Amino acid sequence: MKKRYLALALILSLSVGVCLAGCDLGGGPVDNVGEGKHVLDADDKMGEGILDDGGAIHPTEPVQIAVGVKTEGEHRIYYGKPEDADKVELHNSALGRWNSDRFYRINGPAYPDSTHPEITKEEVENTYTIVTLDISGFADVSEVGLRVNLINVRACTLIAVSTDKVHWTDIGYPDESFNGIHGDFTTHLDELYSWQTDEDIVDGVKSDANIYACYYKLGEYAEKGKPLYVKCGWSDKYWDGLAGKGQPCDLIAYMSYYEKLEVVYDYI
């Protein structure tokens, strides 16, 4: 009988020893984080006697991102369309065909370009396109918006806006956080319209991974009763991580502007 009591006492003493080895009943966390041990919460933040693993809690705020746009009152300016020719000014830029001649495109030379060493940086800086957005008849210009269809990997893309063609504000340019051209919202294009057929053209567009629509809210730049001007050209002052080294803004098919454009946001 005594042996049984002695054995029981030995087991109890070992159990208490294990508990004391695993927990510090004194004054707070010890250097045992990551060792599978627990200590009492020294500051009683969670309540008296609550075990704490000693790790700091880092709460994170939800991140808001643009997920789409809502638009009203679209106006399209087609490149190469005779009726829209007075709205598109080519300053050394070239109007050509794209995607098996289904659409028109506007672009300029790259710099540096080993195949055309005679092209200088000054020349490409003075190669651009200006598109006129006639918003003079809009009753309210505070929600005016813009859509630019472009090739998203042109590393020297620059899009700017002005009310006088003198003072320009940059709104579109290579941005590392986009891994492409900056916009209030950007999305890959699966379809385009051609003014020649006025039908939805899908074939050949889905297969182009680099054609995007960039949307911009222009209300803060607009003035009632005045047109807005959009300048698309070349600059090397922004992020240079895109594949199309030295290449300027490459405009595709048409540019749209809206009487109202709202960017839709969600949280992640």
Side-chain angles (χ1 to χ4, degrees):
M1 182 67 75
K2 289 183 179 180
K3 291 182 179 180
R4 291 178 59 187
Y5 284 126
L6 287 173
L8 181 59
L10 180 60
I11 292 172
L12 290 174
S13 65
L14 289 173
S15 299
V16 172
V18 170
C19 179
L20 291 176
C23 299
D24 177 9
L25 299 180
V30 294
D31 295 331
N32 62 1
V33 177
E35 298 179 9
K37 300 178 180 180
H38 293 276
V39 296
L40 288 177
D41 181 7
D43 298 324
D44 291 334
K45 293 177 182 177
M46 300 174 62
E48 185 177 354
I50 300 298
L51 293 176
D52 181 15
D53 64 6
I57 297 174
H58 301 286
T60 57
E61 295 295 329
V63 178
Q64 190 180 55
I65 63 169
V67 295
V69 293
K70 294 180 180 179
T71 62
E72 295 181 22
E74 181 182 13
H75 302 260
R76 280 190 193 152
I77 298 172
Y78 286 96
Y79 313 131
K81 185 176 182 179
E83 294 88 334
D84 289 339
D86 60 336
K87 305 179 184 71
V88 181
E89 303 174 30
L90 302 178
H91 294 263
N92 301 317
S93 52
L95 176 68
R97 304 302 289 262
W98 180 76
N99 200 299
S100 301
D101 288 344
R102 294 173 185 238
F103 307 100
Y104 281 87
R105 77 191 298 173
I106 300 174
N107 60 8
Y111 177 85
D113 185 346
S114 59
T115 61
H116 297 90
E118 74 282 1
I119 296 175
T120 66
K121 184 175 181 181
E122 181 180 13
E123 185 175 350
V124 297
E125 287 177 328
N126 289 299
T127 299
Y128 54 87
T129 301
I130 295 178
V131 180
T132 300
L133 314 182
D134 184 9
I135 63 170
S136 57
F138 292 4
D140 180 8
V141 298
S142 64
E143 297 182 79
V144 169
L146 173 71
R147 165 178 160 170
V148 181
N149 303 324
L150 48 70
I151 303 299
N152 201 42
V153 294
R154 302 303 189 229
C156 288
T157 293
L158 182 64
I159 303 170
V161 64
S162 173
T163 56
D164 58 12
K165 295 187 184 180
V166 177
H167 304 94
W168 296 94
T169 301
D170 297 349
I171 59 173
Y173 41 81
D175 187 330
E176 185 173 10
S177 63
F178 282 72
N179 194 33
I181 306 305
H182 178 273
D184 292 316
F185 176 69
T186 69
T187 185
H188 180 257
L189 279 179
D190 291 332
E191 60 186 28
L192 281 171
Y193 289 88
S194 169
W195 62 267
Q196 294 172 300
T197 63
D198 199 28
E199 294 178 356
D200 212 1
I201 303 296
V202 177
D203 293 341
V205 178
K206 284 187 176 181
S207 64
D208 193 314
N210 298 317
I211 182 169
Y212 273 65
C214 295
Y215 291 87
Y216 302 93
K217 297 167 63 176
L218 301 184
E220 65 179 293
Y221 314 111
E223 295 181 27
K224 191 172 181 179
K226 292 185 178 181
L228 268 173
Y229 303 101
V230 179
K231 183 179 180 181
C232 304
W234 188 98
S235 173
D236 63 355
K237 67 180 181 179
Y238 292 99
W239 178 60
D240 65 351
L242 294 177
K245 300 298 184 184
Q247 296 180 330
C249 188
D250 195 343
L251 300 169
I252 303 296
Y254 57 87
M255 185 178 293
S256 289
Y257 62 102
Y258 307 92
E259 297 177 30
K260 290 185 179 182
L261 184 147
E262 175 189 354
V263 179
V264 180
Y265 295 93
D266 202 350
Y267 290 92
I268 59 171

